[in-house]
Structures are given as structure tokens and as C-alpha cells.
Amino acid sequence: MTITITNHPEKHRYEAAIDGQLAGYCEYNLLTNAVMFTHTEVLPAFEGQGVGSAIARHVLDEARAQGTAVIPACLFIAGYIRKHREYVDLVRPETQRAFKI
């Protein structure tokens, strides 16, 4: 199984697909100096297959590659960062406090 993740800027979201079927997505808003992830959802048929983690890893790696700070308003993304401390540096200290990172 291969999860393909594509950014759709016109929809303000990344979409994950498995075998061409939408499996999940992560919505975001681009701000002046950060990206705010607002909601992540895995469709019920694809739960438990690592789709959410693949999305989180992808969007955070892309933010790092672009040198963009992250505001994890999405509970899933915030939780992922708490568990995967290698991404903490993407969240500014004042934002870390706000989201208990």
C-alpha cells in the first residue's frame, strides 16, 4: 500500500490517496510567516492504516523544507508533534505554550 500526499493550494489542504482514492486530508491556512494546520481527517474506510501519521509527517517535513513556522491548531498535528519531538523546533516558543507542545 502506497500513500500519496498532494498539496491542493486552491482547497487549502493536503490530500492523501491510496490507489487513487481519497483517504484523508489536512486543512491549512497560509499566514504571513507561518502555516496554520486547522484540521486533519482520515476517512473511516482508511482508519488504522497510518494515513494520519503519513499526512502529519509530510506536512511537517514540507514546512521544514520551506523554512516555515507551524501553528498546530489541529489537535492531531499538535499531538503528533508532542509524540515526535524532532518537529518541536517548527513551532515557535510562544506558540508551543499555547498548544502545550
Side-chain angles (χ1 to χ4, degrees):
M1 171 186 76
T2 302
I3 301 170
T4 305
I5 300 171
T6 308
N7 186 7
H8 293 276
E10 71 283 0
K11 296 179 182 179
H12 299 277
R13 73 184 201 175
Y14 289 87
E15 294 182 350
I18 297 175
D19 296 329
Q21 285 190 289
L22 179 66
Y25 57 88
C26 179
E27 297 174 338
Y28 66 87
N29 289 312
L30 287 178
L31 307 175
T32 303
N33 54 5
V35 59
M36 179 186 299
F37 295 110
T38 57
H39 180 68
T40 302
E41 188 164 332
V42 175
L43 301 181
F46 298 97
E47 289 178 355
Q49 298 180 39
V51 174
S53 292
I55 292 170
R57 226 178 3 264
H58 182 89
V59 301
L60 294 170
D61 287 344
E62 192 160 298
R64 183 182 306 286
Q66 295 173 357
T68 305
V70 168
I71 300 171
C74 167
L75 295 176
F76 184 83
I77 298 294
Y80 189 88
I81 294 169
R82 282 186 210 105
K83 291 178 186 172
H84 298 87
R85 305 301 292 169
E86 65 271 22
Y87 292 109
V88 170
D89 65 301
L90 293 174
V91 184
R92 293 188 180 110
E94 63 276 10
T95 305
Q96 289 178 22
R97 286 189 298 277
F99 292 98
K100 297 181 176 140
I101 301 290

